[in-house]
Amino acid sequence: MNPSHPPARIAKVTGIYRWVDDARFDHAYYETTHAALTTELLAPLGLLRFECDRTVGPGARQAGDVVATSNAYFPSVEAAGKALVAAGARLAADIPNYTSLRPVLHLSEVVVHEV
């Protein structure tokens, strides 16, 4: 940690997708089309970075396993909240195009320690 640079604080919205039996999840659509829609809608609202994670193991999917997550970073909790209000309905409307699962959203304040 660099003592001359105090840690920054940003906000992160995490979407967590947990597996249930007989669900479907199209990672290709999620990682391309849905990610493009997400960045298109959220960039003008302060989005700093967007990540899509695909869980790759271990073993076969079990009920309750996390199969995918998304992380959207914003300059503040307030900016993240406003972005969710403004774009949340359009993003939620796209979910059936790639999965039958429903994401659980978490809003966090992240303390960034630069090295």
Side-chain angles (χ1 to χ4, degrees), residues 87-101:
R90 286 208 41 212
L91 292 171
D94 191 47
I95 292 171
N97 291 322
Y98 62 91
T99 188
S100 56
L101 301 172

Side-chain angles (χ1 to χ4, degrees), residues 54-99:
R54 177 192 305 212
T55 303
V56 294
R61 292 178 179 158
Q62 304 280 331
D65 286 352
V66 174
V67 296
T69 58
S70 61
N71 295 295
Y73 297 88
F74 293 88
S76 67
V77 170
E78 294 77 21
K82 287 179 183 177
L84 287 175
V85 169
R90 286 208 41 212
L91 292 171
D94 191 47
I95 292 171
N97 291 322
Y98 62 91
T99 188

Side-chain angles (χ1 to χ4, degrees), residues 11-16 18 70-72 84 103-108:
K12 177 173 69 169
V13 179
T14 301
I16 301 170
R18 290 192 178 277
S70 61
N71 295 295
L84 287 175
V104 174
L105 297 180
H106 293 276
L107 176 58
S108 306

Side-chain angles (χ1 to χ4, degrees), residues 26-92:
D26 181 345
H27 284 279
Y29 184 99
Y30 175 63
E31 295 167 2
T32 57
T33 305
H34 186 72
L37 176 64
T38 300
T39 56
E40 174 188 324
L41 294 176
L42 298 180
L45 302 171
L47 181 70
L48 301 171
R49 176 184 172 125
F50 181 68
E51 304 168 340
C52 296
D53 300 345
R54 177 192 305 212
T55 303
V56 294
R61 292 178 179 158
Q62 304 280 331
D65 286 352
V66 174
V67 296
T69 58
S70 61
N71 295 295
Y73 297 88
F74 293 88
S76 67
V77 170
E78 294 77 21
K82 287 179 183 177
L84 287 175
V85 169
R90 286 208 41 212
L91 292 171

